[in-house]
Amino acid sequence: MLLWAAAGAIALGFVIALEIAARHHGAPGPITTQWREAIFRPVSGPLLYASMALMMVVLSWRQRAIAFSVAVGIDVVFALVRLPFGAAQGYGNGALWVIIGVAVLAITRRTGAERTLMLKGVGLGLLLVTGRKTGDAWLLITSKTKPEVLDPYLVVADQALGSPSWVVGRMVEATGSVGHNVLDWVYVQLAVAAVCAALYQLRHVARDGRFPGHHLVRTFLVIGLLGPGIYMIFPVVGPIYAYGVEGGAFAAANVWPETLPSIGTPVPIPFDEITPRNCMPSLHTAWATAIYIHTRRSPRPLRWAGTIWLIATLAATLGFGYHYGLDLVAGVVFTLTIEAGMRALDRGWNRQVVQFVAYGTAVFAALLVSYRFLSVPMGDHPWLFGPLVLLAMASVIYAYVRLTRRWDRDAEAEAGKETETAAVPGPRTEVKADTKSKSKPKPDSEPEAEAELV
Protein backbone atom coordinates (compact mmCIF):
# COMPACT_ATOMS: atom_id res chain seq x y z
CA MET A 1 0.00 0.00 0.00
CA LEU A 2 2.88 2.33 0.77
CA LEU A 3 4.29 1.74 -2.71
CA TRP A 4 0.95 2.61 -4.29
CA ALA A 5 0.73 5.79 -2.22
CA ALA A 6 4.25 6.84 -3.27
CA ALA A 7 3.50 6.12 -6.93
CA GLY A 8 0.26 8.11 -6.68
CA ALA A 9 2.05 11.07 -5.11
CA ILE A 10 4.72 11.06 -7.83
CA ALA A 11 2.09 10.81 -10.59
CA LEU A 12 0.07 13.66 -9.07
CA GLY A 13 3.15 15.86 -8.83
CA PHE A 14 4.03 15.12 -12.45
CA VAL A 15 0.51 15.96 -13.65
CA ILE A 16 0.50 19.22 -11.66
CA ALA A 17 3.87 20.17 -13.19
CA LEU A 18 2.49 19.54 -16.68
CA GLU A 19 -0.60 21.60 -15.84
CA ILE A 20 1.59 24.53 -14.83
CA ALA A 21 3.80 24.16 -17.92
CA ALA A 22 0.81 23.99 -20.27
CA ARG A 23 -0.80 27.07 -18.72
CA HIS A 24 2.52 28.87 -19.06
CA HIS A 25 2.24 28.32 -22.81
CA GLY A 26 -1.37 29.53 -22.89
CA ALA A 27 -3.20 26.20 -23.05
CA PRO A 28 -5.21 24.16 -20.53
CA GLY A 29 -3.29 21.35 -18.87
CA PRO A 30 -4.28 17.73 -18.22
CA ILE A 31 -6.18 18.48 -15.00
CA THR A 32 -8.30 21.19 -16.60
CA THR A 33 -9.11 19.20 -19.74
CA GLN A 34 -9.98 16.12 -17.69
CA TRP A 35 -12.41 17.87 -15.40
CA ARG A 36 -14.06 19.64 -18.35
CA GLU A 37 -15.01 16.23 -19.71
CA ALA A 38 -17.17 15.67 -16.65
CA ILE A 39 -19.60 18.27 -18.09
CA PHE A 40 -18.71 19.07 -21.69
CA ARG A 41 -18.51 16.75 -24.68
CA PRO A 42 -15.56 14.35 -24.20
CA VAL A 43 -12.83 14.21 -26.82
CA SER A 44 -12.62 10.41 -26.71
CA GLY A 45 -15.70 8.51 -25.56
CA PRO A 46 -14.26 5.05 -26.35
CA LEU A 47 -11.22 5.79 -24.16
CA LEU A 48 -13.42 6.79 -21.22
CA TYR A 49 -15.51 3.64 -21.48
CA ALA A 50 -12.34 1.57 -21.84
CA SER A 51 -11.03 3.19 -18.68
CA MET A 52 -14.27 2.38 -16.88
CA ALA A 53 -14.00 -1.23 -18.05
CA LEU A 54 -10.48 -1.34 -16.64
CA MET A 55 -11.74 0.00 -13.32
CA MET A 56 -14.55 -2.58 -13.20
CA VAL A 57 -12.14 -5.53 -12.92
CA VAL A 58 -12.33 -4.99 -9.14
CA LEU A 59 -16.14 -5.24 -9.10
CA SER A 60 -18.47 -8.22 -9.05
CA TRP A 61 -20.56 -9.02 -12.13
CA ARG A 62 -23.65 -7.52 -10.50
CA GLN A 63 -21.76 -4.34 -9.66
CA ARG A 64 -20.39 -4.17 -13.20
CA ALA A 65 -23.87 -4.37 -14.66
CA ILE A 66 -25.07 -1.60 -12.37
CA ALA A 67 -22.05 0.60 -13.15
CA PHE A 68 -22.43 0.17 -16.91
CA SER A 69 -26.18 0.89 -16.76
CA VAL A 70 -25.58 4.03 -14.72
CA ALA A 71 -22.92 5.24 -17.16
CA VAL A 72 -25.21 4.76 -20.16
CA GLY A 73 -28.07 6.44 -18.32
CA ILE A 74 -25.95 9.48 -17.49
CA ASP A 75 -24.85 9.75 -21.12
CA VAL A 76 -28.48 9.65 -22.26
CA VAL A 77 -29.34 12.46 -19.86
CA PHE A 78 -26.40 14.56 -21.11
CA ALA A 79 -27.49 13.96 -24.71
CA LEU A 80 -31.06 15.09 -23.94
CA VAL A 81 -29.74 18.23 -22.22
CA ARG A 82 -27.47 19.11 -25.16
CA LEU A 83 -30.20 18.54 -27.73
CA PRO A 84 -32.27 21.75 -27.25
CA PHE A 85 -29.11 23.87 -27.14
CA GLY A 86 -27.81 22.48 -30.41
CA ALA A 87 -24.54 21.46 -28.77
CA ALA A 88 -22.31 18.83 -30.33
CA GLN A 89 -23.25 15.35 -29.16
CA GLY A 90 -20.85 12.87 -27.68
CA TYR A 91 -20.57 10.21 -25.02
CA GLY A 92 -18.23 9.26 -22.20
CA ASN A 93 -19.37 11.65 -19.46
CA GLY A 94 -21.23 8.80 -17.79
CA ALA A 95 -18.15 6.59 -17.70
CA LEU A 96 -16.13 9.33 -16.00
CA TRP A 97 -18.90 9.96 -13.48
CA VAL A 98 -19.05 6.24 -12.63
CA ILE A 99 -15.29 6.07 -12.06
CA ILE A 100 -15.49 9.04 -9.70
CA GLY A 101 -18.58 7.56 -8.01
CA VAL A 102 -16.80 4.27 -7.30
CA ALA A 103 -13.93 6.24 -5.73
CA VAL A 104 -16.39 8.05 -3.44
CA LEU A 105 -18.12 4.76 -2.61
CA ALA A 106 -14.81 3.11 -1.72
CA ILE A 107 -13.82 5.95 0.63
CA THR A 108 -17.18 6.36 2.35
CA ARG A 109 -18.73 2.87 2.38
CA ARG A 110 -15.90 0.34 2.24
CA THR A 111 -13.10 -0.58 4.61
CA GLY A 112 -9.94 -2.65 4.72
CA ALA A 113 -8.84 -4.75 1.76
CA GLU A 114 -12.06 -4.13 -0.17
CA ARG A 115 -11.54 -0.37 -0.05
CA THR A 116 -7.90 -0.73 -1.09
CA LEU A 117 -8.79 -2.94 -4.05
CA MET A 118 -11.52 -0.60 -5.27
CA LEU A 119 -9.24 2.43 -5.03
CA LYS A 120 -6.57 0.57 -7.00
CA GLY A 121 -9.12 -0.11 -9.72
CA VAL A 122 -10.18 3.54 -9.78
CA GLY A 123 -6.56 4.63 -9.93
CA LEU A 124 -5.89 2.28 -12.83
CA GLY A 125 -8.86 3.63 -14.79
CA LEU A 126 -8.00 7.26 -14.11
CA LEU A 127 -4.34 6.67 -14.99
CA LEU A 128 -5.33 5.60 -18.49
CA VAL A 129 -7.49 8.68 -19.00
CA THR A 130 -5.00 11.04 -17.38
CA GLY A 131 -2.17 9.45 -19.36
CA ARG A 132 -3.90 10.56 -22.56
CA LYS A 133 -4.25 14.10 -21.24
CA THR A 134 -0.67 14.29 -20.01
CA GLY A 135 0.45 13.06 -23.42
CA ASP A 136 -1.41 15.90 -25.10
CA ALA A 137 0.24 18.37 -22.70
CA TRP A 138 3.66 16.88 -23.46
CA LEU A 139 3.08 17.27 -27.19
CA LEU A 140 2.15 20.91 -26.70
CA ILE A 141 5.34 21.52 -24.72
CA THR A 142 7.49 19.92 -27.42
CA SER A 143 6.02 22.18 -30.09
CA LYS A 144 6.52 25.32 -27.99
CA THR A 145 10.02 24.63 -26.68
CA LYS A 146 11.69 23.06 -29.74
CA PRO A 147 11.63 25.59 -32.61
CA GLU A 148 13.87 23.42 -34.80
CA VAL A 149 13.45 19.80 -35.88
CA LEU A 150 15.92 17.14 -36.99
CA ASP A 151 13.93 15.60 -39.84
CA PRO A 152 16.66 16.11 -42.49
CA TYR A 153 18.97 13.84 -40.51
CA LEU A 154 16.39 11.07 -40.45
CA VAL A 155 15.52 11.44 -44.13
CA VAL A 156 19.17 10.85 -45.02
CA ALA A 157 19.78 8.10 -42.45
CA ASP A 158 16.51 6.34 -43.30
CA GLN A 159 17.89 5.53 -46.73
CA ALA A 160 19.79 2.75 -44.97
CA LEU A 161 16.41 1.00 -44.59
CA GLY A 162 15.20 1.93 -48.07
CA SER A 163 13.13 4.98 -46.98
CA PRO A 164 10.15 2.79 -45.97
CA SER A 165 7.82 5.71 -45.21
CA TRP A 166 7.86 6.74 -48.87
CA VAL A 167 7.34 3.14 -50.02
CA VAL A 168 4.50 2.29 -47.63
CA GLY A 169 2.94 5.72 -48.17
CA ARG A 170 2.48 4.99 -51.86
CA MET A 171 1.09 1.54 -51.01
CA VAL A 172 -1.52 3.02 -48.65
CA GLU A 173 -2.50 5.60 -51.26
CA ALA A 174 -3.02 2.76 -53.74
CA THR A 175 -5.55 1.08 -51.40
CA GLY A 176 -7.80 4.13 -51.55
CA SER A 177 -10.24 5.21 -48.85
CA VAL A 178 -10.91 1.67 -47.58
CA GLY A 179 -7.31 0.95 -46.60
CA HIS A 180 -6.88 4.46 -45.25
CA ASN A 181 -9.98 4.28 -43.04
CA VAL A 182 -9.11 0.84 -41.64
CA LEU A 183 -5.56 1.84 -40.75
CA ASP A 184 -6.76 5.14 -39.30
CA TRP A 185 -9.22 3.34 -37.00
CA VAL A 186 -6.49 0.94 -35.83
CA TYR A 187 -4.10 3.82 -35.23
CA VAL A 188 -6.56 5.94 -33.25
CA GLN A 189 -8.03 3.14 -31.11
CA LEU A 190 -4.71 1.71 -29.92
CA ALA A 191 -5.50 2.47 -26.27
CA VAL A 192 -8.81 0.59 -26.54
CA ALA A 193 -6.95 -2.43 -27.95
CA ALA A 194 -4.59 -2.28 -25.01
CA VAL A 195 -7.51 -2.29 -22.59
CA CYS A 196 -9.02 -5.36 -24.27
CA ALA A 197 -5.74 -7.23 -23.80
CA ALA A 198 -5.41 -5.98 -20.23
CA LEU A 199 -8.95 -7.03 -19.33
CA TYR A 200 -8.05 -10.64 -20.09
CA GLN A 201 -4.96 -10.40 -17.88
CA LEU A 202 -6.98 -8.82 -15.05
CA ARG A 203 -10.07 -11.04 -15.35
CA HIS A 204 -9.50 -12.70 -11.94
CA VAL A 205 -8.78 -9.57 -9.89
CA ALA A 206 -12.24 -9.45 -8.25
CA ARG A 207 -12.12 -13.18 -7.46
CA ASP A 208 -8.58 -13.20 -6.06
CA GLY A 209 -8.81 -9.83 -4.32
CA ARG A 210 -5.50 -8.64 -5.77
CA PHE A 211 -3.83 -7.54 -9.01
CA PRO A 212 -1.27 -9.75 -10.77
CA GLY A 213 2.38 -8.88 -10.27
CA HIS A 214 2.73 -7.56 -13.82
CA HIS A 215 0.28 -6.62 -16.56
CA LEU A 216 0.08 -4.63 -19.78
CA VAL A 217 -1.23 -1.39 -18.29
CA ARG A 218 1.94 -0.88 -16.25
CA THR A 219 4.20 -1.08 -19.31
CA PHE A 220 1.75 0.97 -21.38
CA LEU A 221 1.79 3.85 -18.91
CA VAL A 222 5.57 3.84 -18.38
CA ILE A 223 6.11 3.99 -22.15
CA GLY A 224 3.85 7.04 -22.30
CA LEU A 225 5.65 8.61 -19.35
CA LEU A 226 9.23 8.21 -20.61
CA GLY A 227 8.71 8.54 -24.36
CA PRO A 228 7.94 12.27 -24.51
CA GLY A 229 11.20 12.96 -22.68
CA ILE A 230 13.02 11.52 -25.72
CA TYR A 231 10.96 13.84 -27.92
CA MET A 232 12.65 16.73 -26.17
CA ILE A 233 16.10 15.28 -26.90
CA PHE A 234 15.44 14.33 -30.54
CA PRO A 235 12.62 16.56 -31.91
CA VAL A 236 11.16 15.26 -35.19
CA VAL A 237 7.76 16.01 -36.80
CA GLY A 238 7.59 13.27 -39.45
CA PRO A 239 7.73 13.14 -43.25
CA ILE A 240 4.15 14.23 -43.93
CA TYR A 241 4.82 17.47 -42.05
CA ALA A 242 8.44 18.18 -42.92
CA TYR A 243 8.13 17.05 -46.57
CA GLY A 244 4.39 16.80 -47.22
CA VAL A 245 1.16 18.75 -47.46
CA GLU A 246 0.52 18.85 -43.70
CA GLY A 247 3.58 21.02 -43.11
CA GLY A 248 2.15 23.99 -44.99
CA ALA A 249 4.52 26.92 -45.31
CA PHE A 250 7.01 25.31 -42.90
CA ALA A 251 7.51 22.17 -44.97
CA ALA A 252 10.96 21.94 -46.52
CA ALA A 253 9.33 20.46 -49.65
CA ASN A 254 6.03 18.95 -50.73
CA VAL A 255 7.25 15.62 -52.09
CA TRP A 256 6.00 12.92 -49.70
CA PRO A 257 5.32 10.12 -50.66
CA GLU A 258 5.98 10.50 -54.38
CA THR A 259 9.60 11.64 -54.43
CA LEU A 260 12.44 11.33 -51.95
CA PRO A 261 13.92 14.80 -51.24
CA SER A 262 17.50 15.47 -52.22
CA ILE A 263 19.50 16.54 -49.18
CA GLY A 264 23.22 17.22 -49.13
CA THR A 265 24.46 17.94 -45.62
CA PRO A 266 21.52 17.74 -43.20
CA VAL A 267 20.91 20.63 -40.82
CA PRO A 268 18.10 21.38 -38.34
CA ILE A 269 15.16 23.21 -39.90
CA PRO A 270 12.76 25.64 -38.19
CA PHE A 271 9.17 24.58 -37.77
CA ASP A 272 5.90 25.92 -36.40
CA GLU A 273 4.81 26.03 -32.77
CA ILE A 274 1.81 23.79 -33.31
CA THR A 275 3.00 20.46 -34.74
CA PRO A 276 4.15 18.02 -32.02
CA ARG A 277 7.73 16.76 -32.19
CA ASN A 278 6.58 13.22 -31.47
CA CYS A 279 8.43 10.86 -33.81
CA MET A 280 11.54 9.60 -32.04
CA PRO A 281 10.87 6.96 -30.88
CA SER A 282 7.55 5.85 -32.37
CA LEU A 283 5.38 5.37 -29.29
CA HIS A 284 2.57 3.85 -31.35
CA THR A 285 5.06 1.18 -32.40
CA ALA A 286 6.18 0.84 -28.78
CA TRP A 287 2.60 0.41 -27.50
CA ALA A 288 1.65 -2.00 -30.28
CA THR A 289 4.76 -4.05 -29.52
CA ALA A 290 3.76 -4.18 -25.84
CA ILE A 291 0.27 -5.38 -26.80
CA TYR A 292 1.81 -8.07 -29.01
CA ILE A 293 4.07 -9.28 -26.17
CA HIS A 294 1.27 -9.41 -23.61
CA THR A 295 -1.14 -11.31 -25.86
CA ARG A 296 1.23 -14.22 -26.53
CA ARG A 297 -0.28 -16.28 -23.70
CA SER A 298 -3.87 -15.29 -24.36
CA PRO A 299 -6.50 -17.29 -26.25
CA ARG A 300 -6.01 -17.59 -29.99
CA PRO A 301 -8.37 -14.70 -30.95
CA LEU A 302 -6.41 -12.32 -28.73
CA ARG A 303 -3.10 -13.61 -30.08
CA TRP A 304 -4.26 -12.98 -33.62
CA ALA A 305 -5.61 -9.57 -32.65
CA GLY A 306 -2.29 -8.59 -31.07
CA THR A 307 -0.40 -9.66 -34.18
CA ILE A 308 -2.76 -7.90 -36.59
CA TRP A 309 -2.74 -4.75 -34.46
CA LEU A 310 1.05 -4.62 -34.51
CA ILE A 311 1.26 -5.10 -38.28
CA ALA A 312 -1.52 -2.57 -38.96
CA THR A 313 0.05 -0.03 -36.60
CA LEU A 314 3.42 -0.32 -38.34
CA ALA A 315 1.71 0.13 -41.69
CA ALA A 316 -0.23 3.15 -40.44
CA THR A 317 2.72 4.92 -38.84
CA LEU A 318 4.71 4.63 -42.07
CA GLY A 319 1.86 4.84 -44.56
CA PHE A 320 0.38 8.02 -43.11
CA GLY A 321 3.79 9.67 -43.05
CA TYR A 322 3.87 10.05 -39.28
CA HIS A 323 7.19 8.25 -38.84
CA TYR A 324 10.41 7.21 -40.50
CA GLY A 325 11.55 3.59 -40.48
CA LEU A 326 14.28 4.37 -37.97
CA ASP A 327 11.64 5.60 -35.50
CA LEU A 328 10.07 2.15 -35.50
CA VAL A 329 13.37 0.40 -34.83
CA ALA A 330 14.00 2.69 -31.87
CA GLY A 331 10.44 2.07 -30.63
CA VAL A 332 10.91 -1.70 -30.52
CA VAL A 333 14.19 -1.44 -28.57
CA PHE A 334 12.60 1.13 -26.26
CA THR A 335 9.67 -1.16 -25.47
CA LEU A 336 11.64 -4.34 -24.82
CA THR A 337 13.96 -2.52 -22.42
CA ILE A 338 11.05 -1.06 -20.46
CA GLU A 339 9.09 -4.33 -20.49
CA ALA A 340 12.03 -6.26 -19.03
CA GLY A 341 12.48 -3.66 -16.30
CA MET A 342 8.79 -3.71 -15.40
CA ARG A 343 8.65 -7.51 -15.29
CA ALA A 344 11.74 -7.51 -13.09
CA LEU A 345 9.80 -5.57 -10.45
CA ASP A 346 7.68 -8.70 -10.07
CA ARG A 347 10.27 -11.40 -10.81
CA GLY A 348 13.14 -9.71 -8.98
CA TRP A 349 16.24 -7.90 -10.20
CA ASN A 350 19.33 -9.98 -10.78
CA ARG A 351 22.51 -9.79 -12.82
CA GLN A 352 20.85 -10.94 -16.05
CA VAL A 353 18.12 -8.31 -15.81
CA VAL A 354 20.58 -5.52 -15.08
CA GLN A 355 22.72 -6.61 -18.01
CA PHE A 356 19.77 -6.68 -20.39
CA VAL A 357 18.38 -3.30 -19.33
CA ALA A 358 21.86 -1.78 -19.62
CA TYR A 359 22.33 -3.38 -23.03
CA GLY A 360 18.92 -2.23 -24.30
CA THR A 361 19.58 1.29 -23.06
CA ALA A 362 23.01 1.32 -24.70
CA VAL A 363 21.61 0.12 -28.04
CA PHE A 364 18.82 2.71 -27.90
CA ALA A 365 21.30 5.50 -27.16
CA ALA A 366 23.65 4.26 -29.91
CA LEU A 367 20.80 4.32 -32.43
CA LEU A 368 19.91 7.93 -31.60
CA VAL A 369 23.54 9.03 -31.74
CA SER A 370 23.98 7.29 -35.10
CA TYR A 371 20.84 8.89 -36.54
CA ARG A 372 22.12 12.31 -35.53
CA PHE A 373 25.85 12.17 -36.24
CA LEU A 374 26.25 9.34 -38.77
CA SER A 375 23.27 10.09 -41.00
CA VAL A 376 25.35 10.87 -44.10
CA PRO A 377 27.43 7.66 -43.93
CA MET A 378 24.23 5.70 -43.26
CA GLY A 379 22.62 7.15 -46.36
CA ASP A 380 25.73 6.68 -48.50
CA HIS A 381 26.32 3.05 -47.46
CA PRO A 382 22.85 1.50 -46.98
CA TRP A 383 24.03 -2.07 -47.53
CA LEU A 384 26.33 -1.70 -44.53
CA PHE A 385 24.33 0.38 -42.09
CA GLY A 386 20.88 -1.03 -42.90
CA PRO A 387 21.80 -4.56 -41.78
CA LEU A 388 23.68 -3.12 -38.79
CA VAL A 389 20.59 -1.23 -37.60
CA LEU A 390 18.37 -4.28 -38.02
CA LEU A 391 21.00 -6.50 -36.38
CA ALA A 392 21.13 -4.17 -33.37
CA MET A 393 17.33 -4.43 -33.00
CA ALA A 394 17.42 -8.21 -33.52
CA SER A 395 20.09 -8.60 -30.85
CA VAL A 396 17.85 -6.86 -28.30
CA ILE A 397 14.90 -9.05 -29.33
CA TYR A 398 17.04 -12.19 -28.98
CA ALA A 399 18.37 -11.14 -25.57
CA TYR A 400 14.84 -10.37 -24.38
CA VAL A 401 13.54 -13.76 -25.53
CA ARG A 402 16.40 -15.55 -23.75
CA LEU A 403 15.76 -13.60 -20.55
CA THR A 404 12.01 -14.26 -20.51
CA ARG A 405 12.47 -17.93 -21.31
CA ARG A 406 14.82 -18.22 -18.35
CA TRP A 407 12.13 -16.60 -16.20
CA ASP A 408 9.57 -19.06 -17.53
CA ARG A 409 11.81 -22.05 -16.76
CA ASP A 410 12.40 -20.76 -13.24
CA ALA A 411 8.67 -20.25 -12.75
CA GLU A 412 7.93 -23.78 -13.98
CA ALA A 413 10.61 -25.19 -11.69
CA GLU A 414 9.14 -23.34 -8.70
CA ALA A 415 5.65 -24.56 -9.57
CA GLY A 416 6.98 -28.12 -9.86
CA LYS A 417 8.59 -27.94 -6.43
CA GLU A 418 5.36 -26.66 -4.89
CA THR A 419 3.44 -29.50 -6.54
CA GLU A 420 5.90 -32.11 -5.28
CA THR A 421 5.76 -30.67 -1.77
CA ALA A 422 1.97 -30.80 -1.78
CA ALA A 423 1.98 -34.40 -3.09
CA VAL A 424 4.36 -35.84 -0.44
CA PRO A 425 2.26 -37.35 2.43
CA GLY A 426 2.99 -36.45 5.98
CA PRO A 427 4.67 -38.82 8.49
CA ARG A 428 2.57 -41.86 9.38
CA THR A 429 1.64 -42.35 13.01
CA GLU A 430 1.17 -45.92 14.22
CA VAL A 431 -1.05 -46.66 17.19
CA LYS A 432 0.29 -49.53 19.31
CA ALA A 433 -2.19 -51.57 21.31
CA ASP A 434 -1.73 -52.17 25.04
CA THR A 435 -1.34 -55.95 24.96
CA LYS A 436 -1.08 -56.24 28.70
CA SER A 437 -4.52 -54.96 29.62
CA LYS A 438 -6.70 -55.06 26.48
CA SER A 439 -5.86 -58.21 24.54
CA LYS A 440 -6.36 -61.90 25.35
CA PRO A 441 -3.53 -64.28 24.46
CA LYS A 442 -4.37 -66.90 21.87
CA PRO A 443 -4.29 -70.54 23.10
CA ASP A 444 -1.77 -71.67 20.52
CA SER A 445 0.62 -68.95 21.61
CA GLU A 446 0.91 -70.04 25.26
CA PRO A 447 3.32 -72.99 25.48
CA GLU A 448 3.93 -72.49 29.19
CA ALA A 449 0.22 -72.84 30.05
CA GLU A 450 -0.02 -76.06 28.01
CA ALA A 451 3.00 -77.54 29.93
CA GLU A 452 1.35 -76.90 33.29
CA LEU A 453 -1.77 -78.79 32.23
CA VAL A 454 0.26 -81.81 31.26
Side-chain angles (χ1 to χ4, degrees):
M1 187 61 185
L2 190 60
L3 180 62
W4 277 83
I10 294 173
L12 179 61
F14 178 71
V15 171
I16 292 175
L18 284 180
E19 177 77 21
I20 296 172
R23 287 183 172 275
H24 176 72
H25 292 289
I31 298 176
T32 302
T33 55
Q34 187 60 72
W35 281 108
R36 286 185 61 185
E37 290 192 342
I39 303 297
F40 299 99
R41 183 177 70 91
V43 176
S44 178
L47 180 65
L48 286 171
Y49 269 91
S51 300
M52 184 184 70
L54 202 59
M55 178 273 299
M56 290 196 299
V57 299
V58 302
L59 305 180
S60 66
W61 282 107
R62 177 176 175 275
Q63 292 169 332
R64 292 170 188 172
I66 294 173
F68 180 76
S69 301
V70 171
V72 173
I74 293 174
D75 274 332
V76 170
V77 172
F78 270 91
L80 294 176
V81 171
R82 293 188 183 111
L83 191 60
F85 295 97
Q89 292 289 355
Y91 65 95
N93 304 90
L96 184 58
W97 277 91
V98 166
I99 294 174
I100 298 172
V102 171
V104 173
L105 177 67
I107 295 173
T108 59
R109 302 294 298 274
R110 298 292 186 269
T111 58
E114 187 179 5
R115 172 192 285 178
T116 301
L117 188 66
M118 290 181 71
L119 289 178
K120 286 181 179 180
V122 170
L124 203 61
L126 288 178
L127 275 175
L128 185 63
V129 179
T130 306
R132 174 69 176 269
K133 302 304 179 184
T134 56
D136 294 341
W138 259 119
L139 298 183
L140 172 70
I141 294 171
T142 62
S143 64
K144 297 294 185 182
T145 59
K146 296 296 177 179
E148 294 184 329
V149 296
L150 304 179
D151 285 77
Y153 295 89
L154 286 185
V155 171
V156 174
D158 209 36
Q159 296 178 43
L161 300 180
S163 301
S165 181
W166 269 257
V167 176
V168 180
R170 291 193 294 269
M171 293 172 62
V172 171
E173 283 191 348
T175 63
S177 60
V178 175
H180 184 280
N181 291 335
V182 170
L183 291 179
D184 182 67
W185 184 83
V186 170
Y187 190 85
V188 172
Q189 302 301 335
L190 184 65
V192 178
V195 170
C196 292
L199 287 176
Y200 177 78
Q201 292 181 321
L202 304 176
R203 65 193 183 280
H204 296 316
V205 169
R207 184 195 69 184
D208 299 339
R210 60 182 179 84
F211 281 85
H214 179 54
H215 51 84
L216 173 60
V217 181
R218 299 173 67 194
T219 302
F220 206 83
L221 292 173
V222 173
I223 289 173
L225 178 65
L226 299 180
I230 312 300
Y231 295 164
M232 304 293 288
I233 299 173
F234 207 112
V236 182
V237 292
I240 196 172
Y241 296 100
Y243 299 98
V245 293
E246 296 295 331
F250 286 89
N254 187 2
V255 295
W256 184 90
E258 289 79 13
T259 307
L260 190 68
S262 178
I263 300 174
T265 302
V267 294
I269 59 175
F271 217 78
D272 62 34
E273 296 184 359
I274 300 174
T275 307
R277 281 63 164 151
N278 62 338
C279 280
M280 182 59 68
S282 169
L283 291 197
H284 266 77
T285 298
W287 285 320
T289 302
I291 293 173
Y292 174 82
I293 293 172
H294 281 265
T295 54
R296 291 311 85 200
R297 295 190 175 184
S298 303
R300 182 174 296 177
L302 269 180
R303 293 200 305 271
W304 276 101
T307 302
I308 293 172
W309 218 278
L310 174 61
I311 295 172
T313 299
L314 297 180
T317 55
L318 293 173
F320 292 158
Y322 296 150
H323 289 281
Y324 303 91
L326 297 174
D327 305 343
L328 277 59
V329 173
V332 171
V333 175
F334 186 70
T335 300
L336 295 180
T337 306
I338 291 176
E339 173 66 16
M342 296 304 295
R343 285 192 66 179
L345 294 177
D346 177 46
R347 295 291 307 172
W349 284 81
N350 54 29
R351 183 172 59 87
Q352 290 82 8
V353 178
V354 173
Q355 287 177 344
F356 175 80
V357 172
Y359 178 68
T361 304
V363 171
F364 181 75
L367 289 174
L368 265 61
V369 171
S370 300
Y371 300 164
R372 175 64 175 82
F373 298 103
L374 296 176
S375 58
V376 173
M378 291 177 70
D380 290 341
H381 306 285
W383 292 105
L384 171 62
F385 284 95
L388 285 177
V389 169
L390 296 179
L391 183 62
M393 179 182 69
S395 68
V396 176
I397 295 174
Y398 174 73
Y400 175 81
V401 171
R402 285 193 60 188
L403 177 64
T404 53
R405 284 181 176 174
R406 184 181 295 113
W407 276 335
D408 293 340
R409 288 195 300 268
D410 293 343
E412 291 175 0
E414 291 175 3
K417 290 180 180 179
E418 292 178 359
T419 303
E420 290 177 2
T421 303
V424 173
R428 299 177 61 184
T429 56
E430 298 182 357
V431 179
K432 296 182 178 179
D434 188 355
T435 57
K436 292 183 178 179
S437 59
K438 296 183 179 180
S439 62
K440 289 185 176 181
K442 295 180 181 179
D444 58 355
S445 62
E446 296 181 346
E448 295 181 357
E450 293 178 356
E452 290 178 357
L453 291 176
V454 173

